Amino acid sequence: MKIEVQDLIHTYPSGETALNGISLVIEGTTPVAVAGQNGSGKTTLVKHFNRILSPTKGRVLIDGVSTTERSTAQWAKKIGYVFQNPDDQLFLNSVRKEFEFGPKRTGIPPEKIEKMLPIVADLCGLGDKLEIHPFDLTATEKKFCTIGSVMMIDPNVVIFDEPTCGQDIEGNNRLISIIRYLRNNGKLCITISHDMKFIAKNFERVVVLCKGQVLTDGFCKDVFAKPTILSQSFVSPPPICRVALGMGLKQSVFETEELVGCIVQNMKRRNKK
Amino acid sequence: MPAVIQVENLSFRYAEAKKYALKDLNFSVEQNEFLCIIGANGSGKSTLCNALMGLIPSYFSGKMKGKVTIMGETTSETTIGNLSKKIGLVFQNPFNQLSYTTSTVEEELAYGLCNMGVPRDEMARRVKEIAKIIRVEKLLKKNPLELSGGQVQRVAIGSALIMKPSVLVLDECTTQLDPLGSEEVFDIVKDLNKDGVTVVMADHDMERVARCADRVLVMSDGEIIALDTPRAVFENEELSKHGVDMPDYIRFGIALREEKLYEGLSPLTETEAIIIGKELVSL
Amino acid sequence: MSEKSKQAAKSKSKKTSSYVPIDSPIDRLHPMIKIYAIFCLGIGCAVFPFLWLAYSVVVFLFFVAWKAKMLTKFAGFITAFAIPITVMLLFIQGLYSPKNVTILADFGFAKLGLEGVLYTFKTVGTLLVFLGSFYLMTTTTYPGKLVTAMQDAGLNPKAGYLVLASLNVVPQIQRRIAVIQEAQTARGVEVTGKLKTRFTAFLPIIGPTVMSSLIDVQERGMTLEIRGFGAKGVKPSSLTELNVSPAEKAIKRVLVTFLILCIAFAFSWAIFTRVR
């Protein structure tokens, strides 16, 4: 899958320009994180990938096809999108029906649905809750129910809009395993998040937006080494990385063990001298 | 000095639920304290916040035992309208904070003040002041329904701060804010706390909890499993079984001790961690 | 952005009530004066025995609409309402009113009577005055200002809440439907195109809309209370400032005088016709 964004400009009917000339290529299966301050255009950008929004100027190509050539419902087969608020999506009377709704709509054969359902349900931690009414799920479970209902369509690209919002360790770990599963199955995962710890540990590439433009785009290691640039978009490196940078280390470090390792090496080098 | 919040033998079971969501809680919060509530989702953090505000038992049907006293007033014996003069609550979902009766952010911020009969001049002054603090000055004439999640969250927080409550209860209220924006909000809360406001805050960001809290209350399955200083709570590795994530700074301290590089207490803040790290590197 | 495009953008943005924000002398007028106008003009025309008064007032309302920069919208509203109601009433009253004595035309199956026709025009005139002035009031009055005015006049805060909440409910549902529709299309539901596809798309959307409004209602009460609604022993205040200017006081006097004159005339006319 290849997503090409070319000089994308988006102006809302209110006259507000949310995206102001974005060019970007996302391809392969390496998960990509999108970060940036509130109102920087993150959601507006990803909503162009399945044509919930159409460009005011510029274009978005999916495997060379302009998004405007198909409807959102047609793109649903290829591009899955999990919205931020689960209450906007869930409407059937059981988790199972929610899971089956999307694939039935997009014409996935029943055998395949049947085969996928237990796998997805398990990944989402809803294996024993399939007959429950989504209304009775907890906020976290609802979120995973929406994630599962999009994964069931088996799209090539899955977009998550702030999935880490309000998650505890268990929820975060579940998300991590879902992102890994998607990658191992040849899917591209694009995730909007404000949780830099989560991004640094699970994504190789991060795109940081600021005021409708790409502020910086690259490997987490490089992006998080530039705290002053990041602060323009109200983003800061994850805690351990900030400690490392504050100590004067040149590279960014995301794990405690790594930081301690650096210190040990540093001391050894000194002792030799 | 009597406690600002006094929770005695508090238990609560939601109607139709089999298990108690809160089980025999006993604790008190002193004037000017900053108490953080942590625990896995479903451990009872939000339920406890709602109980402090008196929404339990008024709005949530179920079985409540024990009592909650806020500045001498028992929640079950007064109205929420009256409690709101002393205590402010910011919900997890900012859209639930909106009154849905106003057409501009400015009016939305002023809504609570209107209910309190605050004179117009003072109201206008406070709206201006709060708008500046939460940085929504440019949004004042916008319709609250047109804002993004992060912007609504700012307005929601502002609508509670503008009431100048003596006690502020925050239920994971910055989840949709960008990292520095959310730090900014906590600096505001921290400043209010310095000025005498008692703060109770449920949060998942452990680094922040370690930095802000005077005491940390750990909940698991509706029970209090620890109530102590941040250092005492986070250095206790047993607690990780209950879904308590250790702040990275503490983890750093523990790792250094294991490597026999350091013997002191684990750092609680970024600054402390940097000082320890710098010393080791420059030895 | 130029001033013009700014205004265009403003009018395109989502509405929260039937209020249209266009600055005009009518917009700036104190809401209570507008409410006075609805009642004084409406009741005055209703009791006045002759047709011409109501239609003169309608002409006056057109002038007000022009002043409020909404002449076309107002004309549209009046015609959309006046034509069907007139035809309907003419049919019922003109042809079948028991008061019909003077026959204007004979269609065979029924006779058109002068009394019925007059009655129709009288009713339509009065209705136009009432509805036209009410329409102008709602489109030119900012809801917050209206409720402030009503509260200043002694309206109970709970009633004030009801007014505001009901003014806001439709745009809120519209917004929700738009959001939910987006979420559904992303799951493969076509919401545009043929009527049938649109209808089948509509069904799954009803569920979450109803569901989330149910959640909303439950939580709204909580929110209002934690924000101090219904605190005892307080007289609510408001952010919007409202003062009655001398000109507005004069308008109010004119309106009340109009009403009194109408009633007095109607009364004397009734006595006069009876004596005769």
Side-chain angles (χ1 to χ4, degrees), chain A residues 47 71 88-89 91 98, chain C residues 176 179 182 184 187 190 208:
Chain A
K47 277 188 176 170
S71 69
D88 291 341
Q89 293 161 79
F91 61 99
E98 287 288 349
Chain C
R176 271 220 84 84
V179 173
E182 255 182 27
Q184 301 305 344
R187 284 171 74 181
E190 283 292 356

Side-chain angles (χ1 to χ4, degrees), chain C residues 125-182:
Chain C
T126 312
L127 275 176
L128 286 182
V129 171
F130 263 116
L131 291 168
S133 52
F134 185 76
Y135 177 82
L136 282 175
M137 192 273 285
T138 52
T139 44
T140 63
T141 310
Y142 179 61
K145 220 166 139 184
L146 177 66
V147 170
T148 306
M150 288 162 93
Q151 270 174 7
D152 286 352
L155 180 84
N156 175 306
K158 281 188 181 129
Y161 166 69
L162 280 180
V163 173
L164 276 179
S166 44
L167 284 173
N168 282 322
V169 75
V170 174
Q172 268 166 46
I173 289 182
Q174 283 171 340
R175 178 184 160 271
R176 271 220 84 84
I177 288 184
V179 173
I180 291 167
Q181 231 171 28
E182 255 182 27

